[in-house]
């Protein structure tokens, strides 16, 4: 079974509590989502491989460390996942960025449909981090992971800011090899399939469309 990593760092918990407030405006919400993603990036990249390298400092030669192995790709699920991209790239600027567009069937909340997909051509040779602020029913996450796996990716992580037991179970049942990184595990879903207490509709709050 995949692992679920809950980021309990005080800065992350403080910022998540802040964006939960309904009176936080679009500008602040967008900025803090990006800040949270940047902080969570540390956990998502914790197991990157390092190799020894000889460097010369202004004082002397030494053996330092540098990244080795597979390079990274971040893949936001449109549209809310876009809010996390800049925060990730602030720490891993060389990562390539793919995009997956999905929408939920209003008549069947557990069914998602793909409307756009553009992935790095070499995604099979990269470690992939899929981004979506909310992991609710798990439908979009499972679909996105299916798409990335079909493109050849082998090492995949899913990163969200808030999730719930239903979403975690859906992803772990469908993809037990994909670790999940989150900032909070909330109580569950309401009748409209929103996370409770959650942060509302993240896409609307990010882009001011509500």
């Amino acid at each position: 079974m995949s692992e679920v990593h809950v980021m309990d760092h005080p800065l992350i918990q403080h910022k998540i509590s802040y964006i939960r407030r309904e009176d936080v405006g679009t500008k602040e919400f967008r900025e803090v989502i990006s800040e949270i993603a940047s902080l969570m990036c540390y956990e998502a990249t914790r197991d990157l491989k390092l190799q020894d390298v000889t460097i010369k400092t202004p004082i002397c030669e030494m053996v330092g460390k540098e990244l080795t192995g597979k390079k990274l790709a971040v893949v936001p699920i449109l549209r809310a996942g876009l809010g996390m991209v800049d925060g990730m790239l602030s720490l891993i600027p060389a990562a390539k960025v793919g995009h997956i567009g999905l929408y939920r069937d209003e008549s069947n909340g557990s069914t998602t449909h793909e409307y756009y997909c553009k992935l790095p051509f070499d995604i099979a040779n990269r470690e992939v981090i899929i981004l979506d602020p909310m992991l609710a029913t798990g439908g979009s996450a499972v679909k996105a992971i299916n798409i990335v796996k079909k493109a050849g990716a082998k090492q995949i992580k899913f990163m969200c800011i808030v999730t719930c037991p239903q979403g975690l179970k859906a992803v772990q049942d469908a993809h037990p090899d994909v670790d999940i990184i989150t900032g909070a595990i909330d109580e569950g879903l309401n009748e409209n399939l929103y996370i409770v207490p959650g942060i509302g509709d993240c896409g609307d709050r990010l882009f001011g469309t509500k």
Side-chain angles (χ1 to χ4, degrees):
M1 183 62 67
S2 65
E3 294 185 2
V4 178
H5 304 272
V6 181
M7 298 290 290
D8 59 357
H9 191 283
L11 286 175
I12 294 175
Q13 294 303 309
H14 169 79
K15 291 176 184 293
I16 291 175
S17 290
Y18 183 77
I19 61 171
R20 289 186 190 274
R21 302 169 188 264
E22 64 178 357
D23 58 348
V24 173
T26 299
K27 178 178 180 294
E28 289 178 298
F29 188 87
R30 187 183 301 138
E31 289 172 349
V32 178
I33 286 283
S34 183
E35 291 170 3
I36 293 170
S38 182
L39 291 168
M40 293 181 69
C41 184
Y42 284 102
E43 183 65 30
T45 56
R46 179 179 294 277
D47 56 359
L48 292 179
K49 301 293 188 296
L50 293 170
Q51 66 181 5
D52 291 340
V53 58
T54 300
I55 58 176
K56 187 171 177 22
T57 78
I59 307 302
C60 64
E61 279 194 352
M62 65 163 286
V63 177
K65 302 287 184 182
E66 69 177 12
L67 293 173
T68 186
K70 292 185 177 181
K71 295 182 179 179
L72 290 167
V74 294
V75 180
I77 299 176
L78 304 180
R79 61 188 167 139
L82 290 173
M84 302 174 71
V85 173
D86 286 348
M88 297 290 287
L89 294 182
S90 68
L91 291 185
I92 46 174
K96 290 190 176 179
V97 182
H99 297 86
I100 295 176
L102 302 172
Y103 68 92
R104 190 169 68 187
D105 191 330
E106 294 300 329
S107 63
N108 181 356
S110 63
T111 301
T112 57
H113 302 280
E114 175 188 343
Y115 66 88
Y116 182 80
C117 182
K118 187 72 171 180
L119 300 174
F121 73 92
D122 60 348
I123 196 167
N125 299 317
R126 291 178 176 267
E127 295 185 31
V128 179
I129 305 172
I130 299 175
L131 307 175
D132 197 348
M134 311 295 289
L135 173 55
T137 66
S140 293
V142 170
K143 182 87 168 181
I145 296 168
N146 287 341
I147 292 168
V148 170
K149 282 186 174 180
K150 187 175 180 181
K154 300 288 192 300
Q155 293 178 275
I156 305 167
K157 294 177 182 176
F158 186 88
M159 194 169 91
C160 60
I161 294 174
V162 177
T163 187
C164 62
Q166 295 94 320
L168 292 175
K169 184 177 187 304
V171 173
Q172 289 188 307
D173 286 351
H175 297 288
D177 57 327
V178 174
D179 286 349
I180 301 167
I181 300 160
T182 187
I185 301 175
D186 282 7
E187 298 169 13
L189 302 173
N190 65 15
E191 64 277 6
N192 296 316
L193 302 181
Y194 281 95
I195 297 175
V196 179
I199 58 176
D201 188 307
C202 192
D204 282 341
R205 297 190 69 189
L206 274 167
F207 300 109
T209 50
K210 184 176 181 180

